Amino acid sequence: MPHDRPTLRQFLLKDYRTHGTEKDLVFLLEDIATACRVIASRIRNGSFAGDLGSAGSTNIQGETQKQLDVIANDEFEGHCRNCSRVAALVSEEVEDVIWLKATPAVGDYIVYFDPLDGSSNLDVNLSVGSIFSIVQLTEAIDASDDRTVLRRGTEQICAGYAVYGPAMSFVITTGAGVHGFTNHLGSGEFRLVSRDMTIPEETDEFAINASRHSSWNQPIRRYFDECVAGKDGPRGKTFNMRWTASMVLDIHRILTRGGVFLYPDDSANRAQGGKLRLLYEANPMAMLIEQAGGRATTGRDRILDVQPTSSHQRVPVIFGSKAEVERIEGYFEESPVSVGAQDPV
Ligand code: AHM
Ligand code: MG
């Protein structure tokens, strides 16, 4: 038993004493960690319980829902309901805002989540994850108006994710660094394994779905072509490429050893605004990346400053090692913006 490592509760209570993290936030994070632990076991036993495969429904994104997408959503929702300060939930799998309070007040929380990220990996037994973000209200809001949950990423007080891989990781920030926990099989406890995760400024590893090459805009194509040109190209070094098809895993790798992750808008997804969703995918990851010393941008704007206009809005994302992301931002700056589209292809 790893008794020498602080448990999640011990760590959060220290955070409460030193950084003023509220007790209710500590309880909420414990409830979310419990939801993730239950989701991990549902995934592990999925083929015995008949939980793999399609649920026969589609979500608001028009994507076919897996049975485990629905199960994970219900676990997140159920456990978040334990906290009386949660006013509303916004889930990738649910079209409308789920209001838990009729009159949300100052200090209440809104929780945004993608209960199962990368769920196309499920049926082939590859890793997946969950992502969450918490905003605290600084004013009372109207529960009859779903637009009141449209908050900039800068309003997040906490963000995190779980990785359901060979080990289960739980990584969080409450605004004072990024800290990683591992679930101990047997006791079920989350114990601290990585304090102050920091992304190296430089990298020679990148992650992008290269099958979309023909749809990319010029700055992305320029960056990719430079990376694959190797030692004789403009970068003068060899790059490694990784793509797991689950952003959580790619971001976990970047938080662990550096790198850059790109899901840009391109000519095939531009009408939808990109691929990844702002409120429960891009914003929490952007907070984690910035807290770990990295950079998170659309190519032209800081992700955390983007004003959301709808709950399931999509956004182009470029995350990771500071120097590398700045280089890509430079390519966008040099590239003219065409009329009617964000970037020329
Ligand atoms: P999901 O939340 O519906 O699983 O979709 C998001 C996922 C990301 O985790 C991942 O980076 C991307 O979609 C994979 O897309 P692609 O199918 O282009 O590889
Ligand atoms: Mg997702």
Side-chain angles (χ1 to χ4, degrees):
M1 263 292 294
H3 286 297
D4 53 328
R5 297 176 183 276
T7 63
L8 178 64
R9 175 175 299 170
Q10 285 171 325
F11 180 89
L12 290 172
L13 286 176
K14 188 154 181 231
D15 219 32
Y16 152 78
R17 285 191 293 271
T18 52
H19 298 114
T21 300
E22 287 186 316
K23 279 265 178 68
D24 280 321
L25 183 59
V26 171
F27 300 144
L28 175 57
L29 279 169
E30 286 200 313
D31 283 326
I32 290 175
T34 302
C36 294
R37 201 173 54 217
V38 175
I39 293 167
S41 85
R42 296 296 299 262
I43 294 168
R44 200 167 283 266
N45 290 322
S47 38
F48 303 122
D51 288 341
L52 295 185
S54 164
S57 49
T58 51
N59 64 13
I60 172 67
Q61 340 279 339
E63 298 157 345
T64 306
Q65 288 178 305
K66 303 273 183 191
Q67 294 184 69
L68 281 164
D69 281 324
V70 178
I71 289 166
N73 180 74
D74 293 348
E75 289 298 338
F76 247 90
E77 183 180 330
H79 285 87
C80 286
R81 281 180 184 274
N82 292 344
C83 176
S84 61
R85 295 271 297 281
V86 177
L89 304 172
V90 178
S91 166
E92 175 175 329
E93 301 303 331
V94 181
E95 178 166 1
D96 296 325
V97 177
I98 303 164
W99 290 100
L100 305 187
K101 288 184 115 178
T103 52
V106 175
D108 284 347
Y109 305 128
I110 304 173
V111 185
Y112 306 82
F113 55 91
D114 175 356
L116 213 44
D117 181 62
S119 46
S120 68
N121 279 357
L122 283 169
D123 295 345
V124 289
N125 194 22
L126 290 174
S127 299
V128 290
S130 300
I131 313 171
F132 64 91
S133 153
I134 301 170
V135 161
Q136 184 164 38
L137 294 176
T138 51
E139 79 280 358
I141 58 170
D142 180 0
S144 67
D145 183 355
D146 279 4
R147 285 171 307 179
T148 54
V149 305
L150 302 178
R151 308 267 153 177
R152 281 197 174 93
T154 45
E155 288 193 49
Q156 296 171 109
I157 57 164
C158 175
Y161 63 79
V163 171
Y164 312 114
M168 180 188 164
S169 305
F170 189 69
V171 175
I172 54 166
T173 180
T174 55
V178 178
H179 311 288
F181 300 79
T182 295
N183 186 243
H184 179 257
L185 210 57
S187 69
E189 288 170 340
F190 289 92
R191 295 261 178 180
L192 183 68
V193 291
S194 315
R195 194 188 290 275
D196 283 320
M197 296 172 84
T198 306
I199 303 174
E201 265 202 39
E202 312 273 345
T203 185
D204 49 17
E205 193 163 70
F206 68 101
I208 192 165
N209 182 345
S211 69
R212 305 181 71 89
H213 187 279
S214 62
S215 310
W216 288 338
N217 53 40
Q218 190 270 337
I220 299 296
R221 208 177 288 172
R222 176 178 173 189
Y223 177 70
F224 176 87
D225 290 348
E226 264 187 18
C227 290
V228 295
K231 277 205 179 72
D232 299 331
R235 303 298 302 272
K237 60 179 179 178
T238 305
F239 277 76
N240 189 29
M241 193 180 90
R242 287 284 180 270
W243 184 252
T244 67
S246 173
M247 176 178 58
V248 180
L249 310 187
D250 286 316
I251 298 298
H252 190 62
R253 187 184 61 252
I254 289 171
L255 283 166
T256 308
R257 68 181 190 206
V260 59
F261 171 92
L262 305 95
Y263 214 121
D265 66 337
D266 57 36
S267 60
N269 68 26
R270 184 161 298 139
Q272 294 85 49
K275 161 89 179 186
L276 297 169
R277 278 54 57 115
L278 175 60
L279 289 178
Y280 41 78
E281 292 182 319
N283 271 343
M285 290 312 187
M287 183 179 185
L288 288 156
I289 293 277
E290 286 199 7
Q291 281 288 319
R295 226 172 140 79
T297 176
T298 65
R300 297 197 182 273
D301 301 299
R302 181 184 179 219
I303 300 266
L304 294 179
D305 287 333
V306 175
Q307 174 61 53
T309 53
S310 66
S311 307
H312 300 284
Q313 174 178 347
R314 297 175 193 254
V315 70
V317 300
I318 302 165
F319 292 136
S321 294
K322 192 162 173 284
E324 205 67 12
V325 175
E326 280 170 350
R327 169 182 283 268
I328 302 166
E329 288 175 303
Y331 294 170
F332 274 89
E333 256 170 51
E334 287 173 28
S335 164
V337 180
S338 65
V339 179
Q342 197 191 5
D343 289 294
V345 172

